[in-house]
Amino acid sequence: MKKGLHPENYRTVVFKDMSNDDVFITRSTINAKETIEIDGVEYPLVKVEISNTSHPFYTGESKLVDTAGRVDKFMSRYGNRNKK
């Protein structure tokens, strides 16, 4: 393998899934603005919207998307423009 390809500044980081509050600790080089304390140790915190614990492919559950509400909202705003 070539030398110098991978960064040397790996550190322990906590990733938090915001959809189900699941947290997991791993090593990463990502910059984090927030911190979290777990078991008396303070770690950098990275918030993610979706992870393997909430993704429909891994959980087998699909989330209901409110498309009807979006269509109604669009029609109430723009639907009657040609009727004059």
Side-chain angles (χ1 to χ4, degrees), residues 4 18 27-30 32 36 49 58-59 61 65-66 78:
M18 299 308 292
R27 292 175 37 118
S28 178
T29 61
I30 192 167
I36 189 171
E49 294 298 320
Y58 296 107
T59 62
E61 300 173 1
V65 178
D66 182 24
Y78 306 108

Side-chain angles (χ1 to χ4, degrees), residues 26-41:
T26 188
R27 292 175 37 118
S28 178
T29 61
I30 192 167
N31 293 326
K33 295 179 181 177
E34 299 180 39
T35 60
I36 189 171
E37 186 174 324
I38 298 177
D39 296 331
V41 180

Side-chain angles (χ1 to χ4, degrees), residues 1-8:
M1 295 191 60
K2 292 184 181 180
K3 301 287 184 196
L5 283 180
H6 298 285
E8 298 294 329

Side-chain angles (χ1 to χ4, degrees), residues 7-43:
E8 298 294 329
N9 59 343
Y10 282 99
R11 65 190 187 291
T12 307
V13 177
V14 173
F15 286 87
K16 182 176 183 179
D17 187 341
M18 299 308 292
S19 63
N20 62 2
D21 292 331
D22 186 45
V23 296
F24 56 95
I25 301 173
T26 188
R27 292 175 37 118
S28 178
T29 61
I30 192 167
N31 293 326
K33 295 179 181 177
E34 299 180 39
T35 60
I36 189 171
E37 186 174 324
I38 298 177
D39 296 331
V41 180
E42 191 168 319
Y43 298 104

